[in-house]
Amino acid sequence: MADDMDRWYISKNYKNLTQAGNKAKTDVEQIMAGLGFRNAGLPRTTVRNKVAGFFITLAGVIKAPFCWRKGDLVVLQYPLKKYYSFLCRMARRRGCRVVTLIHDLGSFRRQKLTVEEEIRRLNRSHYIIAHNDSMKRWLVAQGCRAEVGCLEIFDYLSPEANRTVRKAELPYGVVYAGALSPRKNNFLYRLGEYIQSYRFVLYGSGFEPDKAQRSERFDYRGFIPSDRLIVEAEGHFGLVWDGAEIDTCSGNFGEYLQYNNPHKTSLYLRCGLPVIIWDKAALAPFVRQNGIGLTVSSLADIEGCLARLSPQEYAAMVDRVKEVGERLAAGYYFGKAIAEAQRALYPAGT
């Protein structure tokens, strides 16, 4: 890698830092700053006014290309709305190399783009960091020409450390944190029939208990900011599931689990919670390989899986979760992914 090259990212205005998507992006900015990357945009802001926020971000986008020189490395976090293509073109004109970290694909869950439009955009990058091998294979199959690497899992920074010692004790508690409305996660409103010998603890907003079957089997705690949840979460496992069904993850949100890394998985691990995840989810191999949870094909299987789990097996799982959680807190996974991207784009001797 050239000794005189600079490495850049672009910060922007974030309306708030509580949304998972914004949290993931600002964590990556912080990790890059710690690795010696420089912000080519304006300093990060959290202005809630939509018009003011638009102009702050626009000013940073316009400023950024004036910082770049030939041979520099530019990291863009995708999606970046209408600015992404402009910044890719400007970086290439300046002779820079562009790495794109994907946070979300618009052609999947929200279907704001066609697949062809999305791939055409991403092909403006030299290197792409996909979430995982499943997303990587999909990108290549759809015609992505940029070199593609994998993140594995999103890091999760927080000033807080999990203070709860997780011990195997009955009944086990299964935690679900996130959007709790029927529109987003209708499976919650059918799950009560399948809860027998474990507790189900809900953290989040939008839960409508009057619409849930056997709502007395839910322990609803309301919304707790993620930093507090890391310290206060009460339970033994964190559930990663989306959609309307008990036997599969369905719909736009559920099927997307086959390709994306849900940020809540990282949150659970920072809470010290092993995870329970759909066995067809893209993160299921990571969970199995690292021994940090259980994979199930149906939510109806949770009961049996917990009944078969020995205290020794759970204790070993918690120990491994602690190791992975420490890596997430240190920005290990993005650091590893960006190092691989740099080696690919700047071979030794160039």
Side-chain angles (χ1 to χ4, degrees):
M1 188 185 306
D3 293 333
D4 61 344
M5 58 88 75
D6 287 315
R7 300 178 299 169
W8 301 93
Y9 66 94
I10 300 174
S11 192
K12 59 187 282 290
N13 182 72
Y14 297 94
K15 290 182 182 178
N16 64 70
L17 301 180
T18 59
Q19 291 181 349
N22 290 346
K23 165 68 174 164
K25 289 182 178 180
T26 54
D27 277 0
V28 169
E29 289 180 8
Q30 187 174 332
I31 294 165
M32 284 193 282
L35 293 172
F37 283 72
R38 298 165 63 188
N39 177 17
L42 296 180
R44 181 198 308 164
T45 55
T46 53
V47 175
R48 291 184 175 273
N49 182 279
K50 189 173 182 179
V51 175
F54 167 79
F55 282 108
I56 291 169
T57 296
L58 178 61
V61 167
I62 293 171
K63 169 185 176 291
F66 292 99
C67 300
W68 302 333
R69 299 175 302 153
K70 184 176 181 180
D72 285 357
L73 176 67
V74 176
V75 176
L76 300 178
Q77 300 199 67
Y78 181 92
L80 192 56
K81 296 187 177 178
K82 60 183 73 66
Y83 309 120
Y84 175 77
S85 297
F86 166 77
L87 289 169
C88 283
R89 285 195 298 267
M90 293 303 297
R92 284 179 171 270
R93 287 178 186 174
R94 295 271 181 176
C96 302
R97 300 178 190 184
V98 181
V99 173
T100 295
L101 170 63
I102 293 177
H103 286 270
D104 196 21
L105 290 170
S107 58
F108 265 91
R109 186 169 45 183
R110 295 178 175 85
Q111 299 180 339
K112 291 186 175 181
L113 296 171
T114 66
V115 172
E116 294 75 15
E117 288 171 334
E118 188 131 64
I119 297 300
R120 191 159 55 245
R121 284 188 182 183
L122 291 170
N123 274 335
R124 295 189 172 107
S125 183
H126 294 93
Y127 189 101
I128 293 169
I129 301 176
H131 289 197
N132 49 60
D133 284 330
S134 294
M135 183 178 284
K136 176 180 178 177
R137 287 193 295 270
W138 183 86
L139 289 168
V140 173
Q142 300 305 319
C144 185
R145 297 189 302 273
E147 187 166 355
V148 185
C150 293
L151 182 63
E152 291 190 87
I153 189 170
F154 279 102
D155 296 298
Y156 203 106
L157 308 187
S158 172
E160 302 292 346
N162 173 260
R163 298 172 189 161
T164 305
V165 178
R166 308 284 175 191
K167 294 182 179 179
E169 53 188 3
L170 300 178
Y172 282 116
V174 176
V175 170
Y176 188 84
L180 307 178
S181 68
R183 184 192 70 82
K184 173 69 165 61
N185 284 308
N186 197 48
F187 78 87
L188 290 170
Y189 296 81
R190 304 172 58 194
L191 183 60
E193 293 291 340
Y194 300 87
I195 300 172
Q196 300 292 333
S197 61
Y198 64 92
R199 297 182 300 114
F200 200 84
V201 187
L202 290 173
Y203 293 98
S205 56
F207 186 56
E208 302 178 37
D210 56 313
K211 295 182 179 179
Q213 297 177 13
R214 305 301 298 267
S215 61
E216 72 276 6
R217 294 180 174 174
F218 294 94
D219 182 359
Y220 178 42
R221 303 295 183 86
F223 174 79
I224 294 180
S226 59
D227 284 343
R228 275 183 52 203
L229 191 65
I230 287 172
V231 178
E232 299 178 13
E234 295 185 15
H236 300 87
F237 291 90
L239 177 64
V240 182
W241 198 271
D242 268 315
E245 305 299 327
I246 296 295
D247 294 326
T248 188
C249 288
S250 60
N252 290 343
F253 288 96
E255 292 173 4
Y256 194 31
L257 278 179
Q258 296 179 75
Y259 301 97
N260 82 319
N261 291 350
H263 202 234
K264 73 176 64 181
T265 312
S266 302
L267 173 59
Y268 291 146
L269 296 172
R270 284 300 318 277
C271 291
L273 295 167
V275 298
I276 299 173
I277 192 169
W278 185 35
D279 61 2
K280 293 183 179 61
L283 268 178
F286 181 87
V287 171
R288 288 191 291 263
Q289 289 160 13
N290 287 277
I292 54 173
L294 307 171
T295 62
V296 296
S297 61
S298 167
L299 294 175
D301 297 338
I302 293 177
E303 196 78 40
C305 288
L306 296 182
R308 292 189 295 271
L309 188 68
S310 72
Q312 295 78 16
E313 289 171 326
Y314 181 76
M317 213 178 274
V318 168
D319 287 342
R320 291 188 290 267
V321 166
K322 184 174 185 294
E323 293 175 8
V324 174
E326 288 172 352
R327 291 184 203 140
L328 299 176
Y332 168 83
Y333 290 98
F334 177 76
K336 180 169 174 280
I338 195 62
E340 291 172 355
Q342 289 175 183
R343 285 193 292 271
L345 293 177
Y346 299 89
T350 64

